[in-house]
Amino acid sequence: MTAEINLDQINKYQKNLDNRKDSKVIERAVTHQGILESSEDFTAEGKMSPVFSIDLSTGKVADQKQSGRCWMFAALNTMRIHLMNTYKVPDDFELSQNYTNFWDKFEKSNYFLENVLKTADQPLDSRKVAWLMATPQQDGGQWDMLCALIEKYGIVPKSAMPETFNSNRSSQLNKFLNLKLRHDAVALRELVADHASDAKIAETKDTMMNEVYRMLTYALGEPATKFDFEYRDKDKNYHFDAGITPQEFFKKYVNLNLEDYVSLINSPTDDKPFNKTYTIEMLGNVVNGRPVKHLNLEMTELKKLAIKQLQNGESVWFGSDVGQSSNTKKGIMDTSLYAPDELFDSDLSMSKAERLDYGESLMTHAMVITGVDLVDGKPTKWKVENSWGEKVGTKGYFVMSDDWMNEFVYQFVINKKYLTPDQLEAQKQEPTVLKPWDPMGALA
């Protein structure tokens, strides 16, 4: 049954609007101030003061600028805390996001071309091929993907490979790298269609990757292979470590067993029972590297684990839908911050599961939890280290209400030592493979 809108209906709608005594007042406010400003509840701000019972010292906030590398910044920020605590590096010390960015784009390019070959027997209008071609590579990623990079390439301090124009403003590089990858996809699919030999396909792909490496080097700089690490610690002592490699630097100065840290998600949808593990088809960067794997848990369990990790002095990498009910300038994320449903007198409510199932929400941004306010043993708000510089929030730090966490946080990274025996056993399961477009495969 189809029904077009007719003039009588429109007249009825207008009459209903005219009968509302507040309609003109609301119209004037919203047209001049916008929806969010007009629906903001000023009392919510007062409840989100940046004071916490557990508050880790994490240094100066970094700035990803006009790039989508939040997942990378957040992960490296959790790792630099170890250097601050062990080696007393200064608060403005950073690990090189450009170094991991270079290798991420290089590996993602290879990962894309491999998937092109795997799907070459499918028509261009198949959903998988269309999904693959929509975004050959991008800035975003997940925790396991960064671990795969570090396990293969190590990491370096920012001084060894600083930011460039293209790492800070990634749109041009992404545009032309994706153009090249789509161009290469045409060639590879044609070779498969022509029944070219495996040797010919491998030779062609090798030439393609050589060109990708050249493009990335021109745009991001040549990746560091050996460098000198020097710094003056907080006690003013000078340190110099000559000729160290990225792998040696990670092992000596960060010294984290990345296998100890696992991804935990909260996806209360019917297709993902709790206490089961999941992975996502065609999601990754390093071919044959660490795969993406999530254990789905109730949010109450995730919060208990996050608190344990904070109490032990470790920050928590997490992924969320940052654009929901948040004020960037003030650095507040709170479900009561805005009331658009009251403003429009319309029911806008959806459950967390419904938002995931119907495309209203997914993970869009990764940050770091560095504190929590516990009242009578229960969390009321959380301290968040963002990567948008110091001009937003409280010198770059945000406040997240506990209810906002319940609704819009989807992923935590937790050290396995904090998991219960049952959770540890569940994490060992062989994961269910989800479709490439599943919301749990969203790249922060």
Side-chain angles (χ1 to χ4, degrees):
M1 172 181 168
T2 59
E4 64 177 279
I5 295 292
N6 59 51
L7 187 59
D8 288 340
Q9 285 176 289
I10 294 174
N11 290 333
K12 181 184 69 173
Y13 301 155
Q14 184 61 49
K15 185 176 180 180
N16 288 339
L17 182 65
D18 292 341
N19 289 335
R20 298 181 67 101
K21 294 181 180 180
D22 58 357
S23 64
K24 287 300 179 182
V25 175
I26 295 174
E27 181 182 345
R28 288 193 291 270
V30 177
T31 54
H32 284 278
Q33 301 296 326
I35 296 170
L36 293 181
E37 291 287 341
S38 301
S39 66
E40 187 170 6
D41 183 353
F42 77 96
T43 62
E45 184 178 350
K47 300 173 185 177
M48 292 291 103
S49 59
V51 180
F52 308 90
S53 57
I54 299 175
D55 192 347
L56 306 185
S57 178
T58 51
K60 185 179 179 180
V61 167
D63 190 351
Q64 69 187 74
K65 297 190 178 178
Q66 297 171 41
S67 74
R69 297 171 294 160
C70 56
W71 63 291
M72 196 174 285
F73 273 72
L76 295 176
N77 287 345
T78 64
M79 294 177 189
R80 72 172 177 171
I81 294 176
H82 293 272
L83 280 87
M84 291 179 175
N85 293 338
T86 305
Y87 296 97
K88 298 183 179 180
V89 296
D91 286 344
D92 61 354
F93 173 83
E94 293 181 41
L95 295 166
S96 174
Q97 303 91 358
N98 190 30
Y99 177 79
T100 48
N101 184 44
F102 181 101
W103 291 119
D104 179 56
K105 291 194 174 299
F106 182 71
E107 290 285 350
K108 278 177 179 171
S109 297
N110 184 57
Y111 198 89
F112 169 77
L113 295 178
E114 286 295 313
N115 280 323
V116 168
L117 292 171
K118 289 177 182 177
T119 58
D121 61 337
Q122 299 182 29
L124 283 170
D125 61 358
S126 78
R127 188 171 183 183
K128 283 185 181 179
V129 174
W131 178 87
L132 192 61
M133 298 304 162
T135 312
Q137 64 79 43
Q138 58 171 294
D139 291 349
Q142 294 203 1
W143 170 268
D144 287 320
M145 294 165 66
L146 188 70
C147 291
L149 293 172
I150 294 174
E151 287 166 355
K152 186 171 182 177
Y153 296 105
I155 55 177
V156 304
K158 194 170 186 175
S159 58
M161 191 169 177
E163 294 289 292
T164 70
F165 177 94
N166 295 291
S167 62
N168 281 330
R169 304 166 189 85
S170 61
S171 60
Q172 292 181 26
L173 175 57
N174 284 331
K175 174 182 172 59
F176 291 106
L177 182 54
N178 284 337
L179 171 60
K180 190 227 171 347
L181 292 172
R182 292 188 182 103
H183 170 272
D184 291 348
V186 174
L188 289 179
R189 285 178 64 89
E190 288 178 349
L191 284 175
V192 173
D194 293 340
H195 305 290
S197 67
D198 290 346
K200 176 61 177 175
I201 292 173
E203 179 186 1
T204 302
K205 179 172 165 285
D206 185 62
T207 299
M208 293 170 176
M209 288 305 300
N210 181 66
E211 293 170 356
V212 167
Y213 186 89
R214 182 169 65 244
M215 290 177 69
L216 292 174
T217 300
Y218 289 167
L220 301 173
E222 189 173 338
T225 55
K226 187 172 284 191
F227 57 93
D228 298 336
F229 179 47
E230 63 177 336
Y231 68 98
R232 193 174 293 278
D233 66 27
K234 292 180 180 179
D235 296 329
K236 306 302 181 182
N237 297 312
Y238 177 76
H239 302 267
F240 184 81
D241 198 343
I244 190 171
T245 68
Q247 293 86 352
E248 291 168 345
F249 179 86
F250 176 75
K251 185 176 181 180
K252 178 176 180 179
Y253 289 99
V254 180
N255 194 28
L256 284 178
N257 183 359
L258 297 178
E259 289 296 324
D260 287 342
Y261 292 84
V262 295
S263 170
L264 309 176
I265 59 171
N266 177 246
S267 180
T269 50
D270 291 341
D271 64 327
K272 299 181 190 71
F274 289 120
N275 302 308
K276 301 292 183 181
T277 62
Y278 303 91
T279 190
I280 297 87
E281 184 181 2
M282 295 200 292
L283 177 63
N285 51 3
V286 179
V287 174
N288 297 324
R290 175 166 167 163
V292 171
K293 183 180 180 181
H294 306 309
L295 171 62
N296 195 20
L297 295 176
E298 297 270 10
M299 181 55 78
T300 53
E301 295 182 58
L302 289 178
K303 289 194 285 189
K304 289 177 182 177
L305 294 170
I307 291 170
K308 284 183 181 179
Q309 190 154 301
L310 289 168
Q311 289 173 329
N312 201 44
E314 286 192 86
S315 58
V316 179
W317 187 103
F318 78 104
S320 67
D321 189 356
V322 73
Q324 301 276 5
S325 196
S326 64
N327 186 310
T328 298
K329 184 177 180 180
K330 295 177 180 178
I332 296 174
M333 298 176 288
D334 183 18
T335 53
S336 63
L337 187 58
Y338 303 108
D341 49 350
E342 295 178 14
L343 179 71
F344 292 122
D345 191 20
S346 180
D347 185 0
L348 303 178
S349 62
M350 295 181 79
S351 69
K352 190 173 189 177
E354 289 170 339
R355 287 193 292 269
L356 288 168
D357 282 338
Y358 286 84
E360 171 59 26
S361 183
L362 77 173
M363 188 169 68
T364 62
H365 189 56
M367 297 176 282
V368 183
I369 298 173
T370 63
V372 61
D373 198 27
L374 299 176
V375 178
D376 297 327
K378 296 182 179 180
T380 59
K381 59 183 186 288
W382 304 74
K383 184 180 180 182
V384 174
E385 179 183 5
N386 208 337
S387 54
W388 292 344
E390 293 188 304
K391 293 183 179 180
V392 295
T394 305
K395 293 186 176 181
Y397 288 88
F398 282 38
V399 182
M400 170 174 60
S401 72
D402 190 61
D403 190 57
W404 195 94
M405 174 181 278
N406 290 337
E407 297 298 325
F408 300 116
V409 169
Y410 296 109
Q411 183 180 12
F412 286 149
V413 171
I414 299 292
N415 191 311
K416 288 190 292 188
K417 67 183 180 181
Y418 302 115
L419 271 61
T420 67
D422 287 343
Q423 291 167 348
L424 282 170
E425 282 303 309
Q427 202 278 330
K428 296 176 183 177
Q429 299 172 69
E430 192 68 23
T432 298
V433 180
L434 304 173
K435 299 295 185 183
W437 41 86
D438 190 274
M440 288 301 106
L443 300 182

